Amino acid sequence: MYAPQDDTELLAEVLREENPPPGAQVLDVGTGSGALALEAARRGARVTAVDVSRRAVWTARLNAWRTRLPVHIRRGNLFTPVRGRTYDVILANPPYVPAPDAGSGPRGRARAWDAGLDGRLLLDRICRDAPPLLRPGGVLLLVHSALSGPERTLELLRAAGLKATVVRRRWIAFGPVLRSREEWLRRRGLLAPAEDREELVVIRAERPC
């Protein structure tokens, strides 16, 4: 788990523009501190938040208690705790940073950002498993780095029958994680020699009515 950063704020901006009506069923998958879940709850949505990390679950519950906002928070792996339910809006800010292969996957705090060699360790699962959980007219809002293949995300979501497009882009300075593996990313061709910023994208995917 890590504190909300640029990607969280970017997705929150798009959520505010989406403006789900009061009572809308919203799922925040990989909730972390619960920032996005709380943003949806402030707007009157009925919010369920999920995270695999015990620390994240307890932090999100504490933040919901402090703000006196009703958020149902569950611990589990992605969509497993909500199997069989459907939603008007699904929010996802998953780990998406490409990482050298350590053989056993990310551990500890790195689970909040490391996402395999191509950054798609969880992105592909979200693209596969989120569409069936959307109600007709429901929307998936997903943020990740341009280093992790937005074109692939669009391709998978469209193949699942959703209308998907990039609705927001923002360039940001490298954070500590990218700075620590900058040379590795350049050797893999994911960063150009003079590139010193990361592009974030928000993808909006809607299930037709």
Side-chain angles (χ1 to χ4, degrees):
M1 189 196 73
Y2 66 99
Q5 298 184 35
D6 297 272
D7 49 5
T8 302
E9 179 53 35
L10 191 61
L11 190 54
E13 289 176 11
V14 175
L15 173 62
R16 289 190 284 269
E17 290 178 2
E18 190 68 34
N19 196 26
Q25 291 283 352
V26 174
L27 172 65
D28 180 22
V29 61
T31 193
S33 67
L36 291 167
L38 296 175
E39 180 67 31
R42 287 187 191 97
R43 310 186 75 79
R46 300 174 65 185
V47 184
T48 300
V50 175
D51 205 290
V52 73
S53 163
R54 287 186 177 88
R55 173 180 253 178
V57 166
W58 284 110
T59 300
R61 285 174 177 165
L62 178 60
N63 288 334
W65 176 78
R66 284 175 171 170
T67 55
R68 298 183 180 180
L69 288 169
V71 178
H72 183 53
I73 303 163
R74 304 185 65 180
R75 180 174 178 265
N77 193 337
L78 289 181
F79 302 105
T80 302
V82 296
R83 191 169 292 158
R85 299 186 61 183
T86 57
Y87 296 90
D88 300 296
V89 179
I90 297 175
L91 305 168
N93 180 5
Y96 53 70
V97 179
D101 186 8
S104 58
R107 293 184 176 183
R109 294 184 65 216
R111 290 188 304 173
W113 53 79
D114 279 358
L117 284 172
D118 59 2
R120 300 197 60 86
L121 186 65
L122 296 183
L123 283 169
D124 287 342
R125 290 176 58 192
I126 290 171
C127 292
R128 179 193 69 203
D129 295 343
L133 274 64
L134 288 173
R135 295 174 175 176
V139 172
L140 167 68
L141 300 176
L142 169 64
V143 63
H144 67 82
S145 172
L147 298 173
S148 346
E151 298 81 8
R152 175 66 175 163
T153 300
L154 292 170
E155 176 186 343
L156 290 173
L157 292 172
R158 289 167 180 166
L162 306 187
K163 301 175 182 177
T165 186
V166 174
V167 294
R168 192 66 59 87
R169 298 179 182 269
R170 180 168 298 166
W171 289 91
I172 63 169
F174 289 163
V177 175
L178 279 190
R179 285 198 302 269
S180 71
R181 61 188 61 160
E182 186 175 342
E183 291 307 314
W184 177 79
L185 291 167
R186 294 192 198 282
R187 289 196 303 271
R188 292 201 65 226
L190 294 174
L191 284 176
E195 195 170 352
D196 61 357
R197 293 187 302 162
E198 177 188 16
E199 185 182 21
L200 301 177
V201 301
V202 177
I203 291 172
R204 181 185 187 275
E206 181 178 351
R207 181 178 178 184
C209 293

